[in-house]
Amino acid sequence: MCRKSNLDITVANHIRKEDIMEAKKKVPRALSGDRREPPKPRPLRLANTLPYEDHISAIFNHHVDIVGRTIFMDSLHVDADGGDSGTDASMHDFCVKALTLLEQQDPTKPIKIVTANFGGSFDYGIGIYDRIKLSPCPTVLHVYGPIMSMGSVIFQAGDKRLLAPNAIMMLHYLQGSYEMHDSLGETSVAEHKRANELMLEIYIKRIKEAGKDIKKANFVRQIKNTLYLTAKEAVEMGLADGIITKA
């Protein structure tokens, strides 16, 4: 049998150690006996700055400021007479996608939503309300202009609700006419009652959270006749948290 020299043994040992170290790297944690928790995935982080043209395009074409974590949620369509689409399927779809984008970027940092809303669909509006409420990010809603009807309900979803000094809030019961003699009409009226109760619950909960006293019967009488509030009055009533002093 041929004997190996000391040099041969040293080289062989070196190779074996390198091979073992490399093999260990390839062995899955579960097989290697390593019981440490795998590292949690970090939130997706975009660059702190964007090229100027891309930043402008994101704001004006897509209504999202990724760097500033701001969503501009207004009517997405305006007709030839200047009428806006208000709360509808397009606004709902946009809100869901915009929130998802910024939440994936960082699920811990606040999101600012700048809005003005004359109202619209209750069904799509309550969907927008739910999506904002369920966001893992703190949400701050800024209103410049009108926040009316369904818009005032959506506004209550914000963790912080701020109004411009001359913003106007309007609350009222859901409106609609139905043929009372058929079963579909009766079903629709019942659904309207349920929606109105849900709307009342949302308003009253936020008013109480603001530390304000409220009697449901009095509040119902007010909004059945349509209630307009200035920014100051909305804050005093507990339907807003403050007035914007600096944009």
Side-chain angles (χ1 to χ4, degrees):
M1 182 179 293
C2 179
R3 297 182 62 185
K4 293 183 179 179
S5 67
N6 291 336
L7 177 62
D8 291 336
I9 294 173
T10 300
V11 171
N13 287 340
H14 176 72
I15 294 175
R16 280 199 294 272
K17 288 178 182 177
E18 291 296 322
D19 289 343
I20 291 171
M21 290 175 64
E22 186 63 29
K24 282 185 176 180
K25 292 180 182 179
K26 296 179 181 180
V27 174
R29 288 177 182 268
L31 297 179
S32 66
D34 190 342
R35 297 181 179 274
R36 290 177 297 172
E37 288 291 330
K40 294 182 179 180
R42 292 183 178 181
L44 174 64
R45 295 183 183 275
L46 304 181
N48 290 330
T49 59
L50 291 173
Y52 181 75
E53 295 80 4
D54 292 344
H55 195 186
I56 295 301
S57 175
I59 293 174
F60 284 91
N61 296 328
H62 303 289
H63 312 286
V64 180
D65 178 358
I66 297 175
V67 176
R69 295 183 63 78
T70 301
I71 297 169
F72 301 93
M73 192 174 69
D74 296 316
S75 296
L76 298 180
H77 307 288
V78 179
D79 61 29
D81 298 323
D84 59 40
S85 56
T87 305
D88 63 358
S90 297
M91 181 183 286
H92 176 276
D93 184 58
F94 163 72
C95 176
V96 170
K97 291 177 179 177
L99 282 169
T100 300
L101 173 66
L102 295 182
E103 289 164 357
Q104 288 178 344
Q105 181 186 356
D106 193 317
T108 62
K109 289 185 178 179
I111 294 174
K112 178 179 177 181
I113 301 175
V114 178
T115 188
N117 193 331
F118 275 108
S121 166
F122 178 86
D123 297 314
Y124 284 117
I126 206 66
I128 294 171
Y129 169 89
D130 283 341
R131 183 60 184 84
I132 296 172
K133 287 288 287 184
L134 292 172
S135 175
C137 301
T139 54
V140 183
L141 269 67
H142 286 230
V143 171
Y144 295 92
I147 191 74
M148 301 183 174
S149 188
M150 195 61 214
S152 68
V153 178
I154 295 171
F155 182 59
Q156 304 309 314
D159 294 308
K160 192 169 186 180
R161 307 158 297 164
L162 301 176
L163 297 171
N166 296 304
I168 292 292
M169 182 180 290
M170 187 269 279
L171 296 73
H172 66 170
Y173 258 26
L174 296 182
Q175 298 173 342
S177 59
Y178 302 95
E179 295 296 331
M180 295 296 295
H181 61 271
D182 62 29
S183 59
L184 180 60
E186 291 175 1
T187 302
S188 298
V189 169
E191 176 58 20
H192 252 51
K193 288 180 179 178
R194 184 199 68 81
N196 279 326
E197 282 299 316
L198 175 57
M199 183 176 63
L200 278 172
E201 181 183 325
I202 290 170
Y203 287 138
I204 292 173
K205 181 179 179 182
R206 291 313 306 265
I207 291 171
K208 289 182 177 180
E209 286 176 353
K212 308 292 183 179
D213 292 328
I214 183 172
K215 292 183 178 180
K216 183 176 178 180
N218 293 339
F219 186 65
V220 168
R221 277 195 296 271
Q222 287 179 301
I223 67 173
K224 273 190 173 180
N225 295 322
T226 303
L227 177 63
Y228 284 90
L229 299 169
T230 64
K232 183 180 178 181
E233 289 169 340
V235 172
E236 290 173 349
M237 195 169 186
L239 290 169
D241 297 309
I243 296 175
I244 300 167
T245 57
K246 185 177 180 180

